[in-house]
Amino acid sequence: MLSAQSPIGTLISEQSRTNFTVQGAGARAMGLGGAFIAVADDATAVSFNPAGLAQLLHPEVSFVATGTQHSVGYEDFETSNRGRVLAVSDALVSSTRFDPLFISATAPLQVGGRNLVLQLSVQRAFALTDHTQRNLTESPVASTPGLPTRVTQDVSQTGQIDLYSLAAAYEVSQRILLGLSYNQWRGRWDLASTSLSTTGTTNTAVAFRQANAMDGGNFNLGLIWRWPTWSFGLVHRTGFHADYTFATQLSTYPGQGGFTGAPMTTGLHWPSGTGAGFAYRPSDRWLITADLSQTLWSTTRYMSSSSRLNGQSFFDFDKGDRTPNATDAHLGLEYLKITPSGSVIPLRAGLSREPQPVVDAVTGIQRVMYRASVGSGLKRGPVGVDVAYRYGWSSRRASQSLDVDQILNRTGSPSVGAEHIREHRLDVSTILQFDRRPLERALRYLFVGD
C-alpha cells in the first residue's frame, strides 16, 4: 500500500511528483513572465483567463510548441547509514524534450451587437516525460571504516496530462468581459525506476514501475474589467474529483518481498485555484502587467474506501499538512517598436516566482522556481508568430534515498546535500486569422435562414 514510509511512496514522491506547476500556454504570455490574466488578448487566453477571448475579432487557428532542457545538479551530499558517514560524489543529470503545448480553433460572432467568441482547444497542462541516469559513489569519510559503494539510478517517466476545453466569452459592455470554459482532464503517464548498489562484490537492486491514469472535469471562470489605460483580470479554476487509476510493480535483488499489484481505481481531489492580474498602459507602445495566483495543492488528496489511502496527499503520501499551497507571482513588460515600413515588433521581458508543491521530508525546504524571460514576435497580415525564451533556476538543501537499503528497509538516514535546478525553455506560437464574414453568413444560414 502507498504511504510516506513505504518503498513505493519514497520512490514516487522523490522521482515522479516534482513537475506540477499550473502554467498557461503561449509565447507572448511567457515573454511577459506569465503575467497575462489582465491582458489575455490572443487565442491562448483560455489557459489564463477565458474572458480575454471576447477581445478576438477574427476567426483563427493557433498552435504553440515548446522545447525544454532541464538539468539537476547534486552537490556535497552526505549519507549517514549504520554508523558510517559516506561522502557522495557530485552528479549532474539533464534531459531535453519537445512538446506540442496548445492548439485551438476560435470563432467570433456578433450577438446583440456585442462580440461572442467560441473556442475549442487542447492544452498540455503537465508534460511529464523525463529520463535521467545518475552514477555516483558513496565513499567513507576519514576515520570511517568500510568499502565505497557505487550507485546507479535510472529514472524514466513518459506521458502527460492534457486539457480538452470548450470555451465561450462575451463582451457584456465596453468595460466588462466574461468568460467560461469547461475542461476535460485526461492524464496518462508511466514511471520506471531502477536503483543498483554495489559494495565490493555485493550487489543489491530495486526496480519499480507504476502506470497512472487520471480523468476528470472542471470549469474556469474569468472576468476582465478594462479602461483605456488599465485593465483588471480575475480567474477562478474550480476544483474537481477525478478518477485515478494506478498499477504498481516492485522487484528486488536479493528477493525482499517484491510484488505486482492489480490496477486500483480511487478518487482524487484536484485543487482549485484563483488568480488576479493588473495591466497598465502608460502609452500606446508600453505595457506593464502583474499577476498573483494561488493553487490549493494541500487539498490534492486521495478519496478511497481504504482507510490507509483515504486522505493521503497525492504528492508525499502523508495525511499531515506538509504539502503547502502555492502562490505564484508574475511580472511583465512590453514595448512596441515601429519599423520604418510600419511593421510592429514587440519586445518583451518578464520575471516570475513559482513555488512547487514539493517540501523535502528531511530539510523541510520547499522547492521554489525563479524564472526570467524575454520574447518578441512579428505579425504580417493574417499571420502572427511569437517567440519567447525563459531561464529558470532553483537551489535548496534536499534529501534523497540513494542506497537500496534506504529505500526498502528505511535503514539509516537519506543522503542530504545541495540540489541545483537549471532550465532553458523556448516557446513558439503561430496564429493564422481568417475573414469573419463567411463564418457569420454560414451560421446565419444554418440557424436563422435567408
Side-chain angles (χ1 to χ4, degrees):
M1 179 62 68
L2 301 176
S3 73
Q5 292 75 37
S6 72
I8 295 175
T10 299
L11 290 167
I12 297 176
S13 62
E14 290 185 359
Q15 299 174 0
S16 179
R17 297 291 197 257
T18 61
N19 296 318
F20 288 86
T21 300
V22 175
Q23 298 179 351
R28 183 176 182 221
M30 194 173 85
L32 291 169
F36 209 53
I37 292 175
V39 181
D41 58 359
D42 66 21
T44 65
V46 68
S47 64
F48 293 92
N49 184 347
L53 292 174
Q55 301 175 93
L56 304 185
L57 301 178
H58 300 280
E60 61 183 56
V61 294
S62 63
F63 178 75
V64 184
T66 183
T68 305
Q69 194 275 328
H70 182 88
S71 65
V72 184
Y74 302 94
E75 297 178 359
D76 303 323
F77 271 72
E78 189 174 88
T79 305
S80 298
N81 193 4
R82 297 179 178 177
R84 306 168 66 209
V85 179
L86 308 175
V88 181
S89 59
D90 294 345
L92 177 68
V93 297
S94 64
S95 62
T96 302
R97 68 173 185 265
F98 300 91
D99 291 282
L101 195 60
F102 182 85
I103 187 170
S104 70
T106 307
L109 308 167
Q110 284 290 310
V111 176
R114 295 288 181 181
N115 207 32
L116 170 68
V117 179
L118 305 177
Q119 185 187 78
L120 290 172
S121 66
V122 181
Q123 179 193 350
R124 182 139 299 171
F126 301 104
L128 302 178
T129 296
D130 198 15
H131 178 250
T132 61
Q133 186 175 69
R134 183 180 177 189
N135 298 289
L136 52 93
T137 301
E138 293 180 307
S139 303
V141 301
S143 75
T144 300
L147 297 173
T149 298
R150 296 189 303 276
V151 178
T152 298
Q153 279 193 339
D154 189 284
V155 181
S156 178
Q157 185 166 258
T158 58
Q160 64 281 320
I161 299 177
D162 292 330
L163 271 67
Y164 299 82
S165 301
L166 172 62
Y170 187 61
E171 182 187 20
V172 178
S173 69
Q174 185 180 3
R175 298 277 185 255
I176 301 296
L177 309 176
L178 297 178
L180 172 70
S181 68
Y182 172 75
N183 313 297
Q184 182 64 37
W185 294 64
R186 187 178 188 273
R188 302 290 185 271
W189 69 98
D190 298 322
L191 172 68
S193 169
T194 302
S195 298
L196 172 65
S197 298
T198 302
T199 305
T201 59
T202 302
N203 294 324
T204 55
V206 58
F208 167 76
R209 292 180 178 274
Q210 186 179 64
N212 304 266
M214 186 190 81
D215 294 279
N218 84 313
F219 292 92
N220 290 1
L221 300 91
L223 175 146
I224 290 181
W225 183 23
R226 58 182 183 174
W227 288 74
T229 59
W230 61 266
S231 59
F232 172 77
L234 188 65
V235 64
H236 179 70
R237 300 178 297 272
T238 63
F240 63 96
H241 293 174
D243 293 325
Y244 176 62
T245 301
F246 61 92
T248 59
Q249 179 181 353
L250 182 72
S251 57
T252 64
Y253 177 83
Q256 299 182 37
F259 72 92
T260 298
M264 178 178 179
T265 298
T266 184
L268 176 66
H269 176 75
W270 199 254
S272 64
T274 302
F278 181 80
Y280 175 60
R281 298 170 181 81
S283 71
D284 291 341
R285 296 194 180 189
W286 286 98
L287 169 67
I288 304 168
T289 181
D291 289 356
L292 280 177
S293 298
Q294 184 179 61
T295 303
L296 303 180
W297 290 118
S298 64
T299 65
T300 314
R301 297 184 180 272
Y302 294 103
M303 302 176 297
S304 172
S305 58
S306 167
S307 59
R308 292 185 61 185
L309 184 59
N310 188 54
Q312 286 186 9
S313 167
F314 175 74
F315 296 101
D316 59 24
F317 301 99
D318 192 277
K319 293 190 177 183
D321 57 1
R322 190 168 80 233
T323 297
N325 300 323
T327 300
D328 302 341
H330 306 265
L331 178 67
L333 180 69
E334 180 180 70
Y335 174 74
L336 301 180
K337 178 179 176 59
I338 311 298
T339 68
S341 63
S343 297
V344 179
I345 301 177
L347 303 175
R348 306 178 183 114
L351 297 171
S352 64
R353 180 185 184 274
E354 299 178 342
Q356 297 187 341
V358 178
V359 173
D360 192 88
V362 176
T363 68
I365 300 175
Q366 183 178 12
R367 180 181 293 160
V368 179
M369 292 296 300
Y370 297 89
R371 295 180 166 110
S373 59
V374 293
S376 187
L378 182 65
K379 187 176 188 302
R380 286 186 177 275
V383 180
V385 177
D386 287 294
V387 179
Y389 166 78
R390 187 178 73 186
Y391 175 70
W393 69 95
S394 174
S395 295
R396 64 168 182 162
R397 293 281 294 174
S399 65
Q400 274 207 325
S401 297
L402 299 177
D403 287 340
V404 173
D405 280 347
Q406 290 175 346
I407 298 172
L408 292 178
N409 303 321
R410 310 297 292 181
T411 57
S413 301
S415 303
V416 178
E419 171 196 86
H420 303 291
I421 298 176
R422 301 294 182 265
E423 184 180 86
H424 302 272
R425 174 170 162 174
L426 183 69
D427 279 20
V428 179
S429 299
T430 302
I431 295 175
L432 178 61
Q433 296 178 334
F434 305 91
D435 187 349
R436 67 184 291 167
R437 288 172 296 181
L439 175 64
E440 289 179 336
R441 286 196 297 265
L443 292 175
R444 180 177 179 82
Y445 177 76
L446 286 173
F447 297 106
V448 180
D450 295 332

